[in-house]
Amino acid sequence: MTIGLEGDTSASLRARPIDVSAERSRTIGAAGRHYFNAAGSGLMTDAVIEAMVLHLRLEQRMGGYEAATLRAPELAAGYEAAAALLGARPDEIAFFDSATSGLRAVFDALRLGDGDTVLAPRSSYVSQALRMLALSRYDGVRLRIIETDGTGAMDLDALESELASAPGRTVISAVHIPTSSGLVEPVAEIGALGRRYGALTVLDATQSVGHLEIDVTLLDCDALVTTGRKYVRGPRGTGFVYLRAGMLDGIGGWAPDVRGSVWTGAEEWTMDDTARRLETWEFSVAARLGLGVALGEAIERGAAQTEAHLVSSGTRLRDGLADIAGVSVTDPRASPSGLVTFTVDGVAGKGVSAQLREARIDSISVPAGHAQWDLGARGLASVVRVSPHVYNDDDDTAALLRHVAGIAREASR
């Protein structure tokens, strides 16, 4: 499903390569520095910024509610664009200010408690992991961390064993690509196992939406949470959730709000039967409009082409880094993605990133505190993470590899 691509066929879209020069020309942040932090916050295009600024000017002139009313068609189109990107329906989409807020809303609505089980991978991000730990500590939820197999991905046999013996309701808190490596978890197989044993699968896709081609029906997940600021290239303060139609039937909402509910009597209310029952009334309309533009651009680029381009970029970076003495690529074997992690002997990750930034090369250091079940378990205090996007060219790659080699040489003296 695509929007804004009249006349294009799926075959022609897949055959069309990413035009890096065109992407750079509409991305002012790509000029003058080498930006490798799409997994933190991707560079927005000029059109995304323009949509936000224009709306803020409109709010300035006529007021926030009145301006939002004028932009109602564009806001509605955002649901269609998010659904198209995920292979979902617009009524299965809810918007939030972050993926973390969306994840919290989904788990709150599930009302897990004593006797229920959550199964989580070692690749869980800190916010996701802390939510699960809090459910275990304060609500009596049984938490099980699933071990990895020889590739570094979730061990599917271990997952099935836990699913077969889990008491009560069971939720798989899955991850597509973690923050701490380029690992791509076997999420379709995870979802299929969950379906077989009657478990719900809630997928953290913050590092994969806009990065990999995604179809929620093929992934067999019940809910998916993601952010707008990373590979989608939208603004900070945006995120969205896919919620399979019917997933919350019979459960209701944990925190009903005027956005998705109607107060019908002194002690009665009704809730929207779409994913919007999870939303709250107040949000940044400007940010939401910017996200809508970014979603449309991601669809126009083509998910399949973007995935092929980014996976190829990741492979080139891993190969180049592996050839540098004193540098170790820390991605597990199951890492066909554009997100790359590494260490430099004798230099902490934060120090490497700081030195790269002095050369106008943007990366990020991921500490073990952001991924204790992964980095902590592997004995890695931190890793350097680089994450290219469609605006990175060969000069960017060459600059990164050259400066990392220089850092490694200096550290070895």
Side-chain angles (χ1 to χ4, degrees):
M1 182 188 301
T2 58
I3 61 176
L5 293 172
E6 186 177 351
D8 276 320
T9 66
S10 59
S12 65
L13 284 173
R14 288 177 181 275
R16 187 184 66 208
I18 295 295
D19 187 340
V20 176
S21 295
E23 294 293 342
R24 291 179 67 83
S25 69
R26 62 179 182 172
T27 309
I28 193 170
R33 62 188 313 107
H34 310 288
Y35 192 83
F36 286 96
N37 194 20
S41 185
L43 294 177
M44 292 179 283
T45 66
D46 300 342
V48 171
I49 297 296
E50 186 69 13
M52 296 170 66
V53 171
L54 284 175
H55 184 75
L56 289 173
R57 294 296 187 195
L58 189 63
E59 287 189 348
Q60 183 184 38
R61 291 197 303 272
M62 64 184 305
Y65 278 23
E66 292 76 9
T69 298
L70 283 182
R71 291 292 178 260
E74 291 96 324
L75 291 170
Y79 290 92
E80 297 177 6
L85 190 62
L86 300 181
R89 301 193 326 236
D91 66 329
E92 296 175 311
I93 301 298
F95 284 106
F96 291 88
D97 60 359
S98 70
T100 299
S101 294
L103 183 76
R104 182 182 302 118
V106 171
F107 272 94
D108 283 352
L110 289 175
R111 301 186 185 185
L112 298 176
D114 190 27
D116 295 330
T117 299
V118 171
L119 306 177
R122 287 204 164 273
S123 56
S124 300
Y125 176 60
V126 54
S127 296
Q128 183 187 30
L130 291 176
R131 181 67 177 134
M132 303 307 110
L133 288 167
L135 284 171
S136 176
R137 177 176 295 182
Y138 302 117
D139 297 305
V141 174
R142 177 176 174 268
L143 174 62
R144 293 291 183 270
I145 312 305
I146 308 301
E147 293 300 328
T148 58
D149 62 18
T151 70
M154 179 188 278
D155 188 316
L156 296 176
D157 290 336
L159 173 63
E160 183 167 15
S161 177
E162 287 286 353
L163 285 167
S165 61
R169 289 187 299 162
T170 303
V171 177
I172 304 170
S173 178
V175 174
H176 204 172
I177 300 175
T179 195
S180 52
S181 77
L183 170 70
V184 179
E185 293 276 20
V187 290
E189 292 85 350
I190 290 169
L193 280 172
R195 188 79 58 216
R196 184 186 308 169
Y197 286 91
L200 295 174
T201 300
V202 179
L203 179 62
D204 172 2
T206 55
Q207 301 292 9
S208 58
V209 175
H211 180 169
L212 304 182
E213 186 174 20
I214 289 177
D215 186 326
V216 290
T217 59
L218 296 179
L219 296 184
D220 213 2
C221 59
D222 297 283
L224 176 152
V225 300
T226 192
T227 181
R229 75 177 189 274
K230 296 178 185 282
Y231 288 94
V232 175
R233 300 177 63 189
R236 294 190 70 176
T238 59
F240 53 101
V241 166
Y242 155 76
L243 192 74
R244 177 180 54 78
M247 176 182 168
L248 296 181
D249 286 355
I251 299 176
W254 184 256
D257 178 83
V258 67
R259 168 62 174 159
S261 302
V262 177
W263 197 7
T264 57
E267 297 182 5
E268 301 295 331
W269 72 92
T270 61
M271 297 194 69
D272 198 306
D273 60 1
T274 73
R276 296 180 205 186
R277 71 175 72 180
L278 298 180
E279 294 183 353
T280 55
W281 172 258
E282 195 55 46
F283 61 90
S284 167
V285 176
R288 185 77 58 81
L289 291 170
L291 175 61
V293 173
L295 288 166
E297 291 175 342
I299 293 168
E300 184 179 4
R301 276 194 299 274
Q305 302 93 304
T306 301
E307 175 178 340
H309 182 88
L310 295 182
V311 170
S312 177
S313 297
T315 298
R316 290 198 303 273
L317 283 171
R318 286 189 192 91
D319 290 346
L321 290 164
D323 287 339
I324 300 173
V327 172
S328 299
V329 175
T330 52
D331 293 330
R333 285 165 49 199
S335 298
S337 76
L339 193 155
V340 180
T341 61
F342 65 95
T343 59
V344 176
D345 291 348
V347 187
K350 194 171 183 178
V352 174
S353 288
Q355 291 186 59
L356 289 173
R357 190 164 294 112
E358 290 177 359
R360 301 182 71 79
I361 301 171
D362 294 288
S363 64
I364 197 166
S365 172
V366 180
H370 284 188
Q372 284 289 2
W373 295 340
D374 176 21
L375 296 182
R378 289 195 278 158
L380 294 168
S382 64
V383 295
V384 182
R385 187 184 70 197
V386 289
S387 45
H389 213 315
V390 293
Y391 41 70
N392 288 109
D393 60 13
D394 291 341
D395 288 342
D396 290 332
T397 300
L400 172 66
L401 295 175
R402 182 170 64 253
H403 281 86
V404 170
I407 294 169
R409 277 197 306 272
E410 186 66 25
S412 67
R413 292 178 180 173

